[in-house]
Amino acid sequence: MDVLGSRIVIAAFDGWNDAGEAASGAVAALRANTDYDLVHSVDPELYFDYQYTRPATKMDAEGRRRLTWPEAGLWRPRNPGPGPEFWVLTGVEPARTWQSFAAEFIDIALRDDVTGLVTLGAMLSDVPHTRPISIFASSQNDQVREAHGLERSMYEGPVGILSVFEHFAESAGIPTASLWASVPHYVASATPSPKVTLALLDRLEELTGVVVANSNLRTEAAAWEASIDAAAADDEDMAEYIRQLEQTRDTWDSPDASGDAIAQAFERYLRRRGDGPSDHKR
């Protein structure tokens, strides 16, 4: 059996870890393909700052106004098939008491015999939309790295809730892996980013061997790329900038580029941070 086991939690959160809504989009695609039942949800009063993540009002089917609150929950497949099961951990990144937040879910994972955790994240990067989306796959677990040929992240600095979950899971004996996608920063407003979501799901399939239906995403990804091409065709400065990014990416992809060089470039992206949540940090 693979070191990640047969019951794997796939985790992604809205907010800091989710440039272009790519990671949350990947989890949404998983939930759209399979019926899920809620295993556990948190009390929003404990973890969310409503001035930062406000409740929303909406009309129900009977025309009555309802309040919806920020949430985070763990979901399991209703009718799991053969092979590894994908459980889903998703919601809004909490505003406070992160240790209690992570510990609450890890306790549920241990109770229900979860065997592995894969976190999905996305960050704004200096990459072109016209090339394959870069995915940095890493793990702090020696066995996972050896089994899947993953990198070990050497990043030091501020982190999001995904890193907290990885730490708590590993401390509890649940092996983890992390997949981070690079989102072209010049299309940050063009959300969602289906090409990036698709790249995360393809890498997740490669990592776990679980096939994820994504035909709709492939169509949406092609349309997304075409729309950016059209915008660049009307903006010579944007087009020239994209050409420069393409040249840099092609240099990375050349036979002379080493895996270490690519990993170092990824670490530079992580360190180049500002004060706002759009500058994604891990």
Side-chain angles (χ1 to χ4, degrees), residues 233-266:
D234 293 332
D235 187 332
E236 182 55 37
D237 289 339
M238 180 180 180
E240 175 58 29
Y241 180 63
I242 292 171
R243 283 192 289 270
Q244 294 174 9
L245 293 178
E246 289 173 336
Q247 292 174 357
T248 300
R249 174 60 186 271
D250 292 344
T251 299
W252 288 357
D253 289 343
S254 71
D256 296 331
S258 68
D260 287 343
I262 296 172
Q264 289 168 8
F266 177 84

Coordinates of all heavy atoms in Angstrom, one line a residue, residues 233-266:
A233 N -3.5 40.6 -27.0 CA -3.5 41.1 -28.4 C -3.8 42.6 -28.5 O -3.3 43.2 -29.4 CB -4.4 40.3 -29.2
D234 N -4.6 43.1 -27.5 CA -4.9 44.5 -27.6 C -4.1 45.4 -26.7 O -4.3 46.6 -26.5 CB -6.4 44.6 -27.1 CG -7.4 44.0 -28.1 OD1 -7.0 44.0 -29.3 OD2 -8.4 43.6 -27.6
D235 N -3.0 44.8 -26.1 CA -2.2 45.5 -25.1 C -0.7 45.1 -25.4 O -0.3 44.1 -24.9 CB -2.6 45.2 -23.7 CG -1.8 46.0 -22.7 OD1 -0.7 46.5 -22.9 OD2 -2.4 46.2 -21.6
E236 N 0.0 45.9 -26.1 CA 1.4 45.6 -26.5 C 2.3 45.4 -25.3 O 3.2 44.6 -25.3 CB 1.9 46.6 -27.5 CG 3.3 46.3 -28.0 CD 3.4 44.9 -28.7 OE1 2.5 44.5 -29.3 OE2 4.5 44.3 -28.5
D237 N 2.1 46.3 -24.3 CA 3.0 46.1 -23.1 C 2.8 44.8 -22.4 O 3.7 44.1 -22.0 CB 2.7 47.3 -22.1 CG 3.2 48.6 -22.6 OD1 4.1 48.6 -23.5 OD2 2.7 49.6 -22.1
M238 N 1.5 44.4 -22.3 CA 1.2 43.1 -21.7 C 1.8 42.0 -22.6 O 2.3 41.0 -22.1 CB -0.3 42.9 -21.6 CG -0.8 41.6 -21.0 SD -2.6 41.6 -20.8 CE -2.8 39.9 -20.1
A239 N 1.6 42.1 -23.9 CA 2.1 41.0 -24.8 C 3.6 40.9 -24.7 O 4.2 39.8 -24.7 CB 1.7 41.4 -26.2
E240 N 4.3 42.0 -24.6 CA 5.8 42.0 -24.5 C 6.2 41.4 -23.1 O 7.2 40.6 -23.1 CB 6.4 43.4 -24.6 CG 7.9 43.5 -24.4 CD 8.7 42.6 -25.3 OE1 8.2 42.3 -26.5 OE2 9.8 42.1 -24.9
Y241 N 5.5 41.7 -22.1 CA 5.8 41.1 -20.8 C 5.6 39.6 -20.8 O 6.4 38.9 -20.3 CB 4.9 41.8 -19.7 CG 5.1 41.3 -18.3 CD1 6.4 41.4 -17.7 CD2 4.1 40.6 -17.6 CE1 6.6 41.0 -16.4 CE2 4.4 40.1 -16.3 CZ 5.6 40.3 -15.7 OH 5.8 39.8 -14.5
I242 N 4.5 39.2 -21.4 CA 4.3 37.7 -21.5 C 5.4 37.0 -22.3 O 5.8 36.0 -21.9 CB 2.9 37.5 -22.2 CG1 1.8 37.9 -21.2 CG2 2.7 36.0 -22.5 CD1 0.4 37.9 -21.8
R243 N 5.9 37.7 -23.4 CA 7.0 37.1 -24.1 C 8.2 36.9 -23.3 O 8.9 35.9 -23.4 CB 7.3 38.0 -25.4 CG 6.3 37.8 -26.5 CD 6.8 38.4 -27.8 NE 6.7 39.9 -27.7 CZ 5.7 40.6 -28.1 NH1 4.6 40.0 -28.5 NH2 5.7 41.9 -28.0
Q244 N 8.5 37.9 -22.4 CA 9.6 37.8 -21.5 C 9.5 36.6 -20.5 O 10.4 35.9 -20.3 CB 9.8 39.1 -20.8 CG 10.2 40.3 -21.7 CD 10.2 41.6 -20.9 OE1 10.1 41.6 -19.7 NE2 10.4 42.7 -21.6
L245 N 8.3 36.5 -20.0 CA 8.0 35.4 -19.1 C 8.1 34.1 -19.8 O 8.7 33.1 -19.2 CB 6.6 35.5 -18.5 CG 6.4 36.7 -17.6 CD1 4.9 36.7 -17.1 CD2 7.3 36.6 -16.4
E246 N 7.7 34.0 -21.1 CA 7.8 32.8 -21.8 C 9.3 32.4 -22.1 O 9.7 31.2 -22.0 CB 7.1 32.9 -23.2 CG 5.6 33.0 -23.1 CD 4.9 33.3 -24.4 OE1 5.6 34.0 -25.3 OE2 3.8 33.0 -24.6
Q247 N 10.1 33.4 -22.3 CA 11.5 33.1 -22.5 C 12.2 32.6 -21.3 O 12.9 31.6 -21.3 CB 12.3 34.4 -23.0 CG 11.9 34.8 -24.4 CD 12.5 36.2 -24.7 OE1 13.2 36.8 -23.9 NE2 12.2 36.6 -26.0
T248 N 11.8 33.1 -20.1 CA 12.3 32.7 -18.8 C 11.9 31.2 -18.6 O 12.6 30.4 -18.2 CB 11.9 33.6 -17.7 OG1 12.4 34.9 -17.9 CG2 12.4 33.1 -16.4
R249 N 10.6 31.0 -18.8 CA 10.0 29.6 -18.5 C 10.7 28.6 -19.5 O 11.0 27.5 -19.1 CB 8.5 29.6 -18.7 CG 7.9 28.3 -18.6 CD 8.1 27.6 -17.3 NE 7.6 26.3 -17.3 CZ 6.4 25.9 -16.9 NH1 5.5 26.9 -16.6 NH2 6.0 24.7 -16.9
D250 N 10.9 29.0 -20.7 CA 11.5 28.0 -21.7 C 12.9 27.7 -21.3 O 13.4 26.6 -21.5 CB 11.5 28.6 -23.1 CG 10.0 28.7 -23.6 OD1 9.1 28.0 -23.1 OD2 9.8 29.4 -24.6
T251 N 13.6 28.7 -20.7 CA 15.0 28.5 -20.2 C 14.9 27.4 -19.0 O 15.8 26.5 -18.9 CB 15.6 29.8 -19.7 OG1 15.7 30.7 -20.8 CG2 17.0 29.5 -19.1
W252 N 14.0 27.6 -18.1 CA 13.8 26.6 -17.0 C 13.6 25.2 -17.6 O 14.0 24.2 -17.0 CB 12.6 27.0 -16.1 CG 12.9 28.2 -15.3 CD1 14.0 29.0 -15.2 CD2 11.9 28.8 -14.4 NE1 13.8 30.0 -14.3 CE2 12.6 29.9 -13.8 CE3 10.6 28.5 -14.1 CZ2 11.9 30.8 -12.9 CZ3 9.9 29.4 -13.2 CH2 10.6 30.4 -12.6
D253 N 12.8 25.2 -18.6 CA 12.4 23.8 -19.1 C 13.4 23.2 -20.0 O 13.2 22.1 -20.5 CB 11.1 24.0 -19.9 CG 9.9 24.3 -19.0 OD1 10.0 24.0 -17.8 OD2 8.8 24.7 -19.5
S254 N 14.5 23.9 -20.3 CA 15.5 23.4 -21.2 C 16.3 22.3 -20.5 O 16.3 22.2 -19.2 CB 16.5 24.5 -21.6 OG 17.3 24.9 -20.5
P255 N 16.9 21.4 -21.2 CA 17.7 20.3 -20.6 C 18.8 20.7 -19.7 O 19.2 20.0 -18.8 CB 18.3 19.6 -21.8 CG 17.4 19.9 -23.0 CD 17.0 21.3 -22.7
D256 N 19.2 22.0 -19.8 CA 20.3 22.5 -18.9 C 19.8 22.9 -17.6 O 20.6 23.2 -16.7 CB 21.0 23.7 -19.6 CG 21.7 23.2 -20.9 OD1 22.1 22.1 -21.0 OD2 21.8 24.1 -21.8
A257 N 18.5 23.1 -17.4 CA 17.9 23.6 -16.1 C 17.8 22.4 -15.2 O 17.4 21.3 -15.5 CB 16.6 24.2 -16.4
S258 N 18.3 22.6 -13.9 CA 18.3 21.6 -12.9 C 17.0 21.7 -12.1 O 16.4 22.7 -12.0 CB 19.5 21.7 -12.0 OG 19.4 22.9 -11.2
G259 N 16.7 20.6 -11.5 CA 15.5 20.6 -10.5 C 15.8 21.5 -9.4 O 14.9 22.2 -8.9
D260 N 17.1 21.6 -8.9 CA 17.4 22.5 -7.8 C 17.1 24.0 -8.2 O 16.7 24.8 -7.4 CB 18.9 22.4 -7.4 CG 19.2 21.1 -6.7 OD1 18.2 20.5 -6.2 OD2 20.3 20.7 -6.6
A261 N 17.4 24.3 -9.5 CA 17.2 25.7 -9.9 C 15.7 26.0 -9.9 O 15.3 27.1 -9.5 CB 17.8 25.9 -11.3
I262 N 14.9 25.1 -10.3 CA 13.5 25.3 -10.3 C 12.9 25.5 -8.9 O 12.1 26.3 -8.6 CB 12.8 24.2 -11.1 CG1 13.2 24.3 -12.6 CG2 11.2 24.3 -11.0 CD1 12.7 23.1 -13.4
A263 N 13.4 24.6 -8.0 CA 13.0 24.6 -6.6 C 13.4 26.0 -6.0 O 12.7 26.6 -5.2 CB 13.6 23.5 -5.8
Q264 N 14.6 26.4 -6.3 CA 15.1 27.7 -5.8 C 14.2 28.9 -6.3 O 13.9 29.8 -5.5 CB 16.6 27.9 -6.1 CG 17.5 27.0 -5.4 CD 18.9 27.0 -6.0 OE1 19.2 27.9 -6.8 NE2 19.8 26.1 -5.5
A265 N 13.8 28.8 -7.5 CA 13.0 29.8 -8.0 C 11.6 29.8 -7.3 O 11.1 30.9 -7.0 CB 12.7 29.6 -9.5
F266 N 11.1 28.7 -7.0 CA 9.9 28.6 -6.2 C 10.0 29.2 -4.9 O 9.2 29.9 -4.4 CB 9.5 27.1 -6.1 CG 8.2 26.9 -5.3 CD1 7.0 27.0 -5.8 CD2 8.3 26.6 -3.9 CE1 5.8 26.8 -5.1 CE2 7.2 26.4 -3.2 CZ 6.0 26.5 -3.7

